[in-house]
């Protein structure tokens, strides 16, 4: 179990990507872990055959514990004893038939009911379960094999995502070693607006919606399914409740005209793509936010006990929706970057967040956060402040609307921005002055900055 940061003492095995007997290459993803800081796929430290697994999915062990053994083909390996982190005893639950369920040695409760295997490949798991999942018969793997027996290189997670979205992996150009289709490849394919994809794939269940049948569950009153929260979900819950209890949340909503930004983006996005960057609306918003934070230091602050900390550096948190949760990687030194640098940095941390390649220090140290519920069509949101920061920006959907311009009705590209702020430090006048400058900066964006 690797140590993913100085303050991390233990980790939970979320999923084994390889099973006993599988061949594995050096640096090939071997298993997935979850800690109180970050989730990550862990690469194999050596090439060989996975001889034994000492820690099962869902178990938590101290860092530096041996979790598996890799050896040569035919070699016999002993499973080492691994110290498990003690689990909190569970209170007996009452099942649907009124019988009490008893706690088991592995920390689950009985009776545990495994959901039936999905009837078709389109209902297969999109997200890797964060608790032990029962073994089910494998459904036919139609999308991953081509005529002639050629098999496209991909991980089990990629194949699950492909089945969930009804995507033929053969349509995707892999960027991994030997043309391997990576998780980043398939997520980019799914997110890109393409007429070549079937309506079923475009209307498939969102990536952030967990499937209950992927995890063991107990039966509660009236047949309700009781599913343990994942490590990440528990940490999100703790952080959100702490923030609501800590900060005096207040919100201001501003309508913004993105028409000029839209024109600049259309003119420059091809140039950015040739430079390996995506010029998105978030790029423009981030640049304006950075400029305005320099002038409004109270917004780029945090609270430490009875002290207000006004930060010199601007470290921009970017909320990224994952398959089974949310994470906020931080673009460090955002105040020193131009719009091209911000575009590259935002794309980089978002891609590595989805691929579970972030380091613990990359999700800490933010001074201001941007979240984008508008990706899913929300007009605006009321986001919860990311502690210990004092403000967060919610970006609503950007779309063409009819607006009144000089007593005439015109069509413009519009959207709402919401600033959530902590009234313990930020007064309404300060917040609204900041947002007025943000609105002005977007609506009058200087094309020479792009």
């Amino acid at each position: 179990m690797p140590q993913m940061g100085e303050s991390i003492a233990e980790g939970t095995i979320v999923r084994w990507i390889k099973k006993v007997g599988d061949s594995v290459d050096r640096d090939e993803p071997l298993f997935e872990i979850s800690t109180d800081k970050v989730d990550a796929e862990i690469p194999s430290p050596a090439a060989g055959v996975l001889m034994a697994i000492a820690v099962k999915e869902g178990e938590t062990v101290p860092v530096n514990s041996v979790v598996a053994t890799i050896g040569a083909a035919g070699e016999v390996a002993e499973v080492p004893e691994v110290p498990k982190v003690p689990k909190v005893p569970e209170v007996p639950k009452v099942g649907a038939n009124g019988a009490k369920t008893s706690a088991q040695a592995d920390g689950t409760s009985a009776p545990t009911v495994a959901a039936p295997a999905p009837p078709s490949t389109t209902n297969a798991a999109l997200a890797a379960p964060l608790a032990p999942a029962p073994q089910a018969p494998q459904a036919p793997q139609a999308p991953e094999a081509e005529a002639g027996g050629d098999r496209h290189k991909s991980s089990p997670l990629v194949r699950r995502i492909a089945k969930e979205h009804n995507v033929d992996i053969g349509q995707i150009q892999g960027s991994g070693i030997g043309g391997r289709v990576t998780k980043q490849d398939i997520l980019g394919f799914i997110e890109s607006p393409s007429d070549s994809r079937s309506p079923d794939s475009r209307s498939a269940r969102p990536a952030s919606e967990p499937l209950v049948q992927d995890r063991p569950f107990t039966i509660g009153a009236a047949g309700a399914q009781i599913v343990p929260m994942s490590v990440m979900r528990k940490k999100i819950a703790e952080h959100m409740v702490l923030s609501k209890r800590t900060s005096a949340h207040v919100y201001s909503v501003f309508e913004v005209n993105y028409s000029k930004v839209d024109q600049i983006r259309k003119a420059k996005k091809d140039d950015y793509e040739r430079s390996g960057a995506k010029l998105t609306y978030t790029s423009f918003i981030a640049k304006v936010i950075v400029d305005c934070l320099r002038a409004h230091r109270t917004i780029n602050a945090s609270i430490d006990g009875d002290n207000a900390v006004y930060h010199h550096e601007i470290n921009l948190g970017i909320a990224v929706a994952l398959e089974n949760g949310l994470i906020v990687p931080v673009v460090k030194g955002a105040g020193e970057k131009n719009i091209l640098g911000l575009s590259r940095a935002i794309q980089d941390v978002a891609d590595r967040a989805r691929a579970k390649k972030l380091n613990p220090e990359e999700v800490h140290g933010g001074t201001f956060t941007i979240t984008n519920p508008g990706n899913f069509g929300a007009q605006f949101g009321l986001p919860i402040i990311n502690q210990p920061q004092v403000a967060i920006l919610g970006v609503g959907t950007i779309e063409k609307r009819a607006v009144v311009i000089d007593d005439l009705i015109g069509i413009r590209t519009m959207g709402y921005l919401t600033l959530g702020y902590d009234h313990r430090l930020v007064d309404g006048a300060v917040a609204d002055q900041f947002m007025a400058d943000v609105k002005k900066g977007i609506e009058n964006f200087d094309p020479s900055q792009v």
Side-chain angles (χ1 to χ4, degrees):
M1 176 63 66
Q3 185 164 14
M4 299 297 290
E6 291 184 4
S7 62
I8 297 176
E10 63 190 36
T12 301
I13 298 286
V14 171
R15 179 174 60 97
W16 280 100
I17 300 171
K18 295 289 186 177
K19 60 180 181 292
V20 173
D22 284 352
S23 297
V24 59
D25 295 329
R26 181 181 175 87
D27 294 329
E28 184 179 5
L30 182 60
F31 60 94
E32 184 179 324
I33 68 169
S34 182
T35 72
D36 61 353
K37 303 292 185 186
V38 69
D39 287 5
E41 289 182 352
I42 304 303
S44 173
V49 175
L50 183 57
M51 309 300 297
I53 291 177
V55 180
K56 298 177 182 179
E57 292 180 354
E59 291 185 340
T60 301
V61 295
V63 298
N64 299 322
S65 299
V66 176
V67 298
T69 304
I70 296 173
E75 184 179 347
V76 178
E78 295 183 1
V79 179
E81 290 291 330
V82 181
K84 304 297 190 299
V85 175
K87 297 193 176 187
V88 178
E90 292 190 1
V91 177
K93 299 187 178 81
V94 178
N97 58 1
K100 290 185 178 180
T101 59
S102 59
Q104 304 297 301
D106 62 357
T108 61
S109 53
T112 297
V113 182
S120 67
T121 57
T122 57
N123 289 330
L126 168 64
L130 294 184
Q135 295 295 324
Q138 293 293 323
Q141 306 258 339
E144 65 183 33
E146 295 290 314
D150 292 336
R151 180 185 177 93
H152 293 279
K153 294 182 179 179
S154 60
S155 69
L157 176 59
V158 168
R159 293 194 289 274
R160 279 197 289 269
I161 295 174
K163 285 189 288 185
E164 173 62 30
H165 289 270
N166 196 25
V167 172
D168 183 355
I169 296 180
Q171 300 176 9
I172 305 173
Q173 182 68 37
S175 63
I177 299 174
R180 183 183 185 88
V181 178
T182 66
K183 179 180 174 183
Q184 186 175 333
D185 294 332
I186 193 166
L187 288 177
F189 180 85
I190 291 169
E191 292 174 358
S192 63
S194 172
D195 294 335
S196 63
R197 304 210 316 270
S198 68
D200 288 343
S201 70
R202 289 193 295 270
S203 61
R205 176 183 52 80
S208 58
E209 180 184 340
L211 286 174
V212 170
Q213 64 260 36
D214 290 339
R215 301 180 189 171
F217 56 87
T218 55
I219 298 298
Q225 296 177 355
I226 303 172
V227 185
M229 282 189 179
S230 67
V231 174
M232 173 176 281
R233 178 51 54 191
K234 286 188 285 188
K235 294 301 177 183
I236 292 172
E238 291 170 4
H239 193 64
M240 294 299 97
V241 171
L242 172 65
S243 182
K244 290 295 285 185
R245 288 175 176 170
T246 301
S247 295
H249 282 71
V250 184
Y251 296 93
S252 290
V253 181
F254 277 62
E255 189 175 28
V256 178
N257 186 339
Y258 289 91
S259 297
K260 186 170 185 179
V261 161
D262 186 54
Q263 294 173 358
I264 299 171
R265 178 175 172 268
K266 288 177 179 176
K268 296 289 188 177
K269 66 178 182 179
D270 290 342
D271 295 338
Y272 271 59
E273 287 179 2
R274 283 190 289 270
S275 300
K278 291 182 179 179
L279 185 60
T280 65
Y281 289 112
T282 302
S283 305
F284 291 92
I285 294 169
K287 177 58 178 163
V288 172
I289 287 293
V290 165
D291 292 341
C292 291
L293 287 174
R294 290 196 191 97
H296 299 269
R297 293 188 62 203
T298 304
I299 307 296
N300 192 52
S302 60
I303 294 178
D304 182 12
D306 293 330
N307 299 317
V309 182
Y310 298 94
H311 301 287
H312 176 70
E313 282 197 345
I314 298 173
N315 298 328
L316 211 55
I318 304 294
V320 178
L322 304 178
E323 297 148 356
N324 40 35
L326 176 75
I327 197 166
V328 185
V330 177
V331 176
K332 300 289 180 69
E336 308 304 318
K337 301 181 186 295
N338 58 17
I339 190 169
L340 176 59
L342 285 170
S343 299
R344 286 174 171 165
I346 291 170
Q347 181 181 340
D348 172 60
V349 295
D351 288 346
R352 288 192 292 113
R354 296 186 183 103
K356 300 185 178 179
K357 302 295 184 185
L358 292 173
N359 296 318
E361 60 269 17
E362 292 179 300
V363 295
H364 289 276
T367 60
F368 185 89
T369 296
I370 298 175
T371 184
N372 191 356
N375 276 338
F376 305 101
Q379 292 294 312
F380 59 87
L382 302 176
I384 298 175
I385 296 168
N386 191 12
Q387 296 296 319
Q389 299 167 26
V390 296
I392 183 171
L393 185 77
V395 181
T397 190
I398 298 172
E399 59 188 1
K400 290 187 179 296
R401 298 178 194 153
V403 295
V404 177
I405 305 169
D406 296 330
D407 293 333
L408 299 175
I409 296 177
I411 305 299
R412 296 292 184 270
T413 303
M414 307 293 291
Y416 293 104
L417 292 177
T418 302
L419 183 72
Y421 56 97
D422 189 342
H423 212 331
R424 293 180 302 163
L425 182 64
V426 183
D427 290 330
V430 174
D432 290 344
Q433 288 167 8
F434 171 77
M435 287 300 292
D437 285 348
V438 170
K439 173 182 170 72
K440 181 179 178 181
I442 293 174
E443 293 182 343
N444 300 281
F445 199 91
D446 183 0
S448 65
Q449 294 189 68
V450 182

